[in-house]
């Protein structure tokens, strides 16, 4: 079986470099549907997004395992004068 990921992601780039047999999707929800069906053996993607889906989709019984392959920084873009600036900092 193949490993699923999202098109144009750093996960897809990593999996291509390492010569894994992968299938790429437009969004993570499509990949999760195939994982639940058993059509792919795993999903490799951004850890925070996988953790979100694993914790919110109880019916699918998803679990994030292992360690991140690569650490990346995230940025948050807010409009000028946003009331969310202080809580985000």
């Amino acid at each position: 079986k193949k490993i699923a990921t999202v098109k144009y992601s750093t996960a897809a780039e990593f999996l291509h470099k390492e010569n894994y047999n992968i299938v790429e999707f437009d969004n993570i929800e499509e990949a999760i549907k195939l994982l639940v069906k058993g059509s792919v053996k795993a999903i490799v993607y951004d850890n925070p997004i996988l953790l979100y889906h694993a914790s919110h989709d109880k019916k699918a019984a998803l679990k994030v395992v292992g360690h991140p392959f690569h650490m990346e920084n995230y940025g948050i873009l807010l409009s000028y004068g946003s009331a969310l600036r202080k809580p985000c900092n």
Side-chain angles (χ1 to χ4, degrees):
K1 290 184 185 176
K2 294 183 176 191
I3 297 173
T5 193
V6 176
K7 290 178 185 175
Y8 313 114
S9 65
T10 54
E13 183 181 325
F14 170 82
L15 294 168
H16 280 294
K17 256 189 237 180
E18 297 296 320
N19 294 315
Y20 283 96
N21 187 15
I22 70 170
V23 58
E24 297 177 72
F25 296 93
D26 291 326
N27 58 63
I28 193 65
E29 291 79 12
E30 292 177 34
I32 291 171
K33 284 178 190 174
L34 284 188
L35 180 64
V36 171
K37 282 183 179 177
S39 300
V40 296
K41 65 181 172 182
I43 297 173
V44 175
Y45 194 53
D46 296 354
N47 197 44
I49 294 171
L50 295 178
L51 289 169
Y52 171 84
H53 284 281
S55 68
H56 285 79
D57 192 350
K58 304 295 183 199
K59 192 170 85 177
L62 303 171
K63 183 176 181 180
V64 178
V65 298
H67 301 284
F69 300 132
H70 177 74
M71 298 300 291
E72 294 182 357
N73 294 319
Y74 280 83
I76 300 172
L77 181 64
L78 302 170
S79 62
Y80 184 78
S82 172
L84 295 174
R85 186 184 59 81
K86 284 186 181 181
C88 286
N89 285 328

